[in-house]
Amino acid sequence: MLITGARTVDGFATDFYVRDGVFADPLQAPPNVRRVDAAGLLALPGLVDLHTHLRQPGREDAETIATGTLAAARGGFTCVHAMANTTPVTDTAERAEWIRQTAAAQASCEVAVVGAVTKGLAGEELADLEAMAAGGARVFSDDGRCVADSLLMRRALEFAAATGAVIAQHSQDPRLAGPTACCHESHVSRELGLDGWPAQAESAIVARDVQLAELTSGRLHVCHVSTAETVDVLRWAKARGIPVTAEVTPHHLLLDTPLLASGDTTYKVNPPLRTTEHLEAVREALADGTIDAVATDHAPHAASDKAKPFPEASPGMLGLEQALSVVIDVMVNTGRMDWPTLAERMSYTPARIGRVADQGRPLAIGEPANVVLVDPARRAPVDPQTSASLSRNNPYRGLDLPDPVVMTVCAGRVAFNRHPGLVPG
Ligand code: DOR
């Protein structure tokens, strides 16, 4: 396939000849090659998500490896990190290998498997991190739950220091709120009569963990940063040279606490949606690099798990298909961030954090052909019914957002296409 006339983020018009999974020299393309006219489109390196819940095994009614990775390809992602809170939990090398093999047969993009930090995500005993690392896992996380025990977190980071792995922490102190906490603690939660999580439930854990990262030299990655206080802690830690990276979700960049007044449980998520001053802080931190990456926390849930009173409904929202749309609107279209920085935050840097060798590579001859063609000007109201996900908990439904992805090429294969000029074959 020969993609002609696309612009790169640096502003150059380039042709891409995709052959045998890599970019080859366009001058060597045969005359009868399949052609895609990409004039007017932007070529981004394939996006990499550090934080995806694929739900398989165990909750195939909410998502599968096939449907979740198709949603990823529709969103421009060529790699997702599959979180470990499956049923059963991905806490052994065998379970990690099962996901790898299922993905190899069924996925539309690369799947990097995240192993659990603790057995059964119970927070009591380390899982067999060594065996999972030997099988290829580079990221370990109890995401959905916080590794609250300080000594266990220290041991996990010691393992990371010894092996080059990274511990991705869901920073939310479970002892800083009651069992019915379900939103951000603020005047809005008080008006709605809901129990809230204080912002400090996040930043207190991050403050502890960056010090453990300093103590152990183990690499810490902070999942879904949502508060201004966490940003302050990260700035302090990075200034000290502590090995910490961080991500922010599209929903924490765009959506705020007052949405909860609708009572719609789609907006229930952990960590919760915050107030404007927090949104401004995480946007600024993403722009200046204090927050290294965007990650979706794509969390599909069956309708029955959301159709409950707010405190009991499952937390989580979809993210893969609108992540790029949100980042374009909130960060690029407002002048907060330029396109090369978007490519850093959504491809190059997450690939480096997750250590996925074939992702986040330059769009250059000899490199793996992972590329997404986007039309930055295209917009459309979000229609959850057209989603590839099996779930419908889409917090962006009805919003007029960029609808940029035209084609996603993953390892040389067309994983998603709506370019009228490309005939399948
Ligand atoms: O809201 C959330 N849902 N936050 C998490 O960290 C986990 C996720 C899930 O698995 O549903």
Side-chain angles (χ1 to χ4, degrees), residues 151-243:
L151 185 57
L152 266 183
M153 191 60 186
R154 175 184 179 167
R155 296 285 177 250
L157 286 164
E158 283 168 353
F159 172 83
T163 59
V166 59
I167 306 299
Q169 171 73 296
H170 179 128
S171 312
Q172 194 167 12
D173 186 346
R175 303 297 302 271
L176 215 48
T180 50
C182 57
C183 63
H184 174 58
E185 184 178 306
S186 66
H187 69 280
V188 181
S189 64
R190 286 186 280 277
E191 279 157 25
L192 296 173
L194 296 172
D195 289 335
W197 289 95
Q200 288 73 8
E202 177 174 297
S203 52
I205 292 291
V206 179
R208 179 201 70 175
D209 286 350
V210 292
Q211 293 179 82
L212 292 176
E214 183 170 47
L215 175 69
T216 59
S217 300
R219 284 202 305 142
L220 169 71
H221 178 72
V222 181
C223 295
H224 37 50
V225 171
S226 67
T227 74
E229 290 82 352
T230 297
V231 168
D232 287 342
V233 174
L234 289 169
R235 287 215 172 93
W236 174 84
K238 288 189 165 193
R240 278 174 80 89
I242 293 172

Side-chain angles (χ1 to χ4, degrees), residues 53 55 85 143-144 170 224 269-270 297 299 301 315-316:
H53 297 278
R55 302 289 188 233
N85 64 340
D143 181 70
H170 179 128
H224 37 50
V269 66
N270 262 335
D297 195 4
H301 285 293

Side-chain angles (χ1 to χ4, degrees), residues 21-317:
V22 297
F23 294 120
D25 183 350
L27 296 175
Q28 290 176 3
N32 61 347
V33 69
R34 279 198 304 165
R35 281 171 182 272
V36 179
D37 176 7
L41 302 181
L42 195 59
L44 294 174
L47 308 182
V48 176
D49 190 20
L50 282 165
H51 194 145
T52 307
H53 297 278
L54 290 175
R55 302 289 188 233
Q56 189 179 5
R59 287 307 302 265
E60 291 83 354
D61 57 328
E63 199 75 287
T64 66
I65 290 169
T67 59
T69 57
L70 188 55
R74 289 174 66 96
F77 290 90
T78 53
C79 175
V80 298
H81 285 72
M83 278 297 174
N85 64 340
T86 47
T87 313
V89 171
T90 311
D91 58 2
T92 67
E94 292 71 27
R95 288 173 185 165
E97 185 54 28
W98 183 87
I99 293 174
R100 232 169 262 122
Q101 286 183 12
T102 308
Q106 299 174 12
S108 292
C109 70
E110 181 170 352
V111 174
V113 182
V114 176
V117 175
T118 69
K119 286 187 183 163
L121 306 183
E124 287 165 2
E125 201 184 335
L126 284 187
D128 192 345
L129 307 184
E130 214 156 294
M132 286 189 277
R138 295 288 171 267
V139 183
F140 295 88
S141 182
D142 273 6
D143 181 70
R145 304 226 187 127
C146 180
V147 180
D149 185 284
S150 303
L151 185 57
L152 266 183
M153 191 60 186
R154 175 184 179 167
R155 296 285 177 250
L157 286 164
E158 283 168 353
F159 172 83
T163 59
V166 59
I167 306 299
Q169 171 73 296
H170 179 128
S171 312
Q172 194 167 12
D173 186 346
R175 303 297 302 271
L176 215 48
T180 50
C182 57
C183 63
H184 174 58
E185 184 178 306
S186 66
H187 69 280
V188 181
S189 64
R190 286 186 280 277
E191 279 157 25
L192 296 173
L194 296 172
D195 289 335
W197 289 95
Q200 288 73 8
E202 177 174 297
S203 52
I205 292 291
V206 179
R208 179 201 70 175
D209 286 350
V210 292
Q211 293 179 82
L212 292 176
E214 183 170 47
L215 175 69
T216 59
S217 300
R219 284 202 305 142
L220 169 71
H221 178 72
V222 181
C223 295
H224 37 50
V225 171
S226 67
T227 74
E229 290 82 352
T230 297
V231 168
D232 287 342
V233 174
L234 289 169
R235 287 215 172 93
W236 174 84
K238 288 189 165 193
R240 278 174 80 89
I242 293 172
V244 59
T245 54
E247 67 185 37
V248 63
T249 67
H251 47 271
H252 290 114
L253 288 170
L254 179 67
L255 308 175
D256 60 5
T257 315
L259 287 166
L260 270 56
S262 67
D264 186 341
T265 59
T266 306
Y267 300 121
K268 182 177 174 186
V269 66
N270 262 335
L273 301 181
R274 305 288 186 183
T275 45
T276 319
E277 56 281 17
H278 293 291
L279 267 66
E280 277 304 327
V282 295
R283 290 167 178 171
E284 193 188 317
L286 181 65
D288 72 19
T290 303
I291 294 177
D292 304 79
V294 173
T296 69
D297 195 4
H298 178 84
H301 285 293
S304 55
D305 291 324
K306 282 289 193 183
K308 293 181 177 175
F310 209 89
E312 291 149 44
S314 295
M317 44 182 64

Side-chain angles (χ1 to χ4, degrees), residues 335-349:
R336 289 188 174 96
M337 208 161 94
D338 57 16
W339 284 100
T341 310
L342 182 145
E344 288 289 345
R345 304 283 189 271
M346 296 191 78
S347 177
Y348 298 124
T349 304

